Amino acid sequence: MQAKAVFLALIVATVSLSGCFGDQTDEVVAPEVESNSNGTFVTNKSGMAVNEPLLDMEFFFSDVGEDGPEPSLGITSSGCIFFIAMEKPMRSCDGGQSWENSADITQAPFTSDPYGWVDPVTDRIFNIHMMGLESTWIGWSDNDGESWLGNPHDSGTTPLNDHIKLATGPWTSSGYGAIGGITSTFYEQAVYFCYNKGVGIFCFTSYDGGATFETGGQIYGLASSNGGLHGAITTAPDGTVYVTPRVETPTVLVSKDNGFSWDEKTMGTDAKTPNPRKNSEVATDTESNAYHVWTGADQGIYMSRSIDSGESWEQESLRISPVEVISTTFPQTDAGDPGRIAITYLGSENASLLGTTDIDGNNWTGNGHYAPNGVHYHLYITYSLNALDENPTFHTMRVTQDPVQVGAMCLNSGDCRSDQGGSNRNLLDFNDLHIDREGRVYVAFADGCIAECASMDAPTPADSRASMGGMYYLAKGPSLFEENGELSPLV
């Protein structure tokens, strides 16, 4: 397939975003950016500014050229980037300068829910899609997408699934790992597949590289009593597996035996989560320390840490997002060496609209589900190189120059609403962030404000209904693997 030409832009730390578009009314859009931050922040564990220089970071933007709501991405050891844009596994092997759809006839012809994963050990690329609610079509490639295999009915032992997720990780010596150690000559990693059905979270383990899922079922305890929607699956170098349910009190489900049994760990009672809410995510570093990030009830991004492989979690939450960012959603994270992490999220700095009338006629508290028409959401990327310290520092950049979304976005698929321009569920449920073998950060997101919307002085929600796939990656700045030092541009 002919690769598509894409636009490549450089966003630098000194970029300045400004403009005043008048007072907020039903028709007039509020100032896009109200703080004096120039889009950069250096903050402490309370989200307050500290007198330290911003890390020297630059990010490249690449337009994937396809609709990409709730995108996922991964990078193989050869440097090829895979971006799952609906049913299309888009591939770029030239640093995001061009993209092509790498799928063949063995892959899902449509999708009701897309997801992708690149195994960081074997380079296997997974392209998985929910087919209605009946089953999941899982495809995989072991040669950078040059050819694919797939199973069009790959749902574990209990079909009728939704909200699908997949990941890989090391085998342990207990539970399903005892079997996995025997089968590892066929595929050396455990493959995990989770979905929700009704109010339950179901997770399965594959011994054959994701071709079939014969063991697993409903995760006991939390999933049977608190709802089934969940976030991405995360695995640690020591084989610990994490799944995050969507509940009021930030919670992590932890397995030490390759999914045979699960424990429930809670934290964040000081921060809570909003309602409606989106999923949280866990990152693990090279020594299996874990970092759980989520949107708190006050709409900031918070974190709890575990230094004993998920056995215990600190109960005092750390704020990652600056206090100037008063509304957030879609937090995603990954980590390299201990304390070196990156987080991305959508956020707004339109503090003057707090307390004004939201789209339901109530006083707006910062929840994006009800945001007034004048709120502008941008993509933010945060780094910390000392996230395990007692007093860590967070370096944040607003990387988008025009809004990603104008006005409210649907954060509850059964309760979408918008008073302008039709459905605001254009971005769907999540974005993605991963690092490559060098420790370079890549962020996948869907952009709702493109073309004319991006160039307007005062775009409205009706102008912001796209879902174009886009990617930022670190062109210059510190690797999340300390030994690699400062990274240079890919192209």
Side-chain angles (χ1 to χ4, degrees):
M1 177 176 289
Q2 180 65 37
K4 294 188 176 182
V6 297
F7 174 71
L8 191 65
L10 177 64
I11 305 295
V12 297
T14 57
V15 65
S16 176
L17 304 177
S18 61
C20 185
F21 308 130
D23 295 332
Q24 166 69 9
T25 68
D26 287 342
E27 291 80 25
V28 180
V29 174
E32 180 179 335
V33 176
E34 299 171 357
S35 71
N36 295 319
S37 67
N38 290 328
T40 63
F41 309 83
V42 183
T43 58
N44 61 17
K45 64 181 181 181
S46 299
M48 304 299 293
V50 295
N51 187 23
E52 295 184 24
L54 181 76
L55 291 173
D56 185 11
M57 298 184 296
E58 297 175 358
F59 290 90
F60 275 109
F61 168 73
S62 176
D63 182 351
V64 177
E66 296 284 348
D67 278 350
E70 56 186 39
S72 46
L73 88 168
I75 310 92
T76 64
S77 59
S78 68
C80 288
I81 309 161
F82 286 83
F83 183 110
I84 305 302
M86 299 306 286
E87 75 279 358
K88 299 176 182 178
M90 301 298 292
R91 175 181 62 191
S92 176
C93 297
D94 57 9
Q97 295 184 90
S98 63
W99 294 87
E100 61 181 346
N101 179 8
S102 65
D104 59 24
I105 61 172
T106 68
Q107 301 304 285
F110 71 91
T111 185
S112 302
D113 248 351
Y115 202 71
W117 176 263
V118 173
D119 188 325
V121 173
T122 69
D123 274 338
R124 176 164 290 185
I125 306 140
F126 291 91
N127 175 40
I128 75 172
H129 299 280
M130 191 175 79
M131 311 303 291
L133 292 173
E134 191 276 330
S135 64
T136 298
W137 191 315
I138 297 185
W140 61 91
S141 172
D142 292 319
N143 57 5
D144 274 339
E146 290 299 318
S147 62
W148 295 81
L149 295 171
N151 184 347
H153 189 88
D154 208 347
S155 303
T157 59
T158 49
L160 189 61
N161 54 60
D162 192 10
H163 215 69
I164 56 175
K165 298 290 185 290
L166 183 145
T168 56
W171 292 109
T172 65
S173 59
S174 59
Y176 293 145
I179 306 172
I182 299 172
T183 65
S184 62
T185 53
F186 180 78
Y187 190 77
E188 63 181 285
Q189 294 267 85
V191 183
Y192 302 100
F193 173 48
C194 295
Y195 59 78
N196 76 274
K197 183 172 76 169
V199 296
I201 300 172
F202 289 74
C203 290
F204 298 86
T205 304
S206 173
Y207 306 106
D208 55 12
T212 59
F213 292 86
E214 301 298 334
T215 57
Q218 185 170 359
I219 300 175
Y220 296 104
L222 178 81
S224 62
S225 59
N226 289 301
L229 292 181
H230 57 90
I233 308 163
T234 301
T235 62
D238 65 1
T240 305
V241 187
Y242 300 91
V243 175
T244 56
R246 189 184 299 180
V247 289
E248 180 179 1
T249 300
T251 300
V252 174
L253 301 177
V254 183
S255 176
K256 299 285 188 178
D257 49 19
N258 298 114
F260 179 77
S261 63
W262 297 83
D263 292 324
E264 174 186 339
K265 306 293 183 179
T266 60
M267 63 213 71
T269 55
D270 55 347
K272 296 288 189 178
T273 63
N275 188 29
R277 58 187 64 90
K278 282 299 176 186
N279 291 118
S280 59
E281 188 170 26
V282 173
T284 59
D285 63 32
T286 53
E287 293 186 6
S288 296
N289 300 301
Y291 313 79
H292 181 207
V293 300
W294 70 91
T295 293
D298 69 354
Q299 306 302 322
I301 302 294
Y302 287 89
M303 177 174 71
S304 177
R305 304 168 293 189
S306 173
I307 58 173
D308 55 9
S309 295
E311 290 292 334
S312 63
W313 296 81
E314 60 188 344
Q315 296 302 307
E316 179 184 356
S317 304
L318 286 68
R319 180 164 175 141
I320 291 172
S321 58
V323 295
E324 292 88 347
V325 181
I326 50 84
S327 179
T328 70
T329 192
F330 297 172
Q332 316 291 156
T333 183
D334 203 354
D337 286 333
R340 300 172 78 91
I341 67 170
I343 306 96
T344 189
Y345 54 90
L346 298 185
S348 172
E349 296 172 48
N350 295 132
S352 69
L353 296 185
L354 291 171
T356 65
T357 302
D358 67 20
I359 62 173
D360 277 4
N362 302 314
N363 290 336
W364 188 50
T365 62
N367 193 314
H369 192 68
Y370 309 100
N373 290 342
V375 177
H376 288 213
Y377 285 91
H378 284 265
L379 183 71
Y380 294 78
I381 300 175
T382 297
Y383 267 63
S384 179
L385 302 183
N386 64 345
L388 286 179
D389 287 4
E390 181 179 358
N391 295 295
T393 303
F394 300 102
H395 301 254
T396 300
M397 294 178 59
R398 181 191 341 117
V399 295
T400 47
Q401 297 187 69
D402 59 84
V404 170
Q405 182 85 339
V406 179
M409 65 188 84
C410 182
L411 302 180
N412 183 356
S413 59
D415 183 33
C416 293
R417 74 278 306 284
S418 176
D419 62 352
Q420 202 179 110
S423 174
N424 60 352
R425 190 160 158 71
N426 50 308
L427 305 184
L428 297 183
D429 289 336
F430 54 84
N431 290 325
D432 202 9
L433 183 154
H434 284 289
I435 64 175
D436 65 11
R437 299 329 195 260
E438 291 186 296
R440 187 187 305 273
V441 169
Y442 299 73
V443 173
F445 73 107
D447 193 347
C449 182
I450 64 173
E452 291 183 6
C453 176
S455 60
M456 290 178 176
D457 287 338
T460 69
D463 302 312
S464 178
R465 292 290 178 259
S467 54
M468 183 58 64
M471 182 192 71
Y472 282 93
Y473 64 82
L474 183 73
K476 175 185 177 184
S479 167
L480 292 188
F481 296 129
E482 188 170 9
E483 68 177 6
N484 290 339
E486 297 291 314
L487 299 176
S488 301
L490 291 174
V491 292

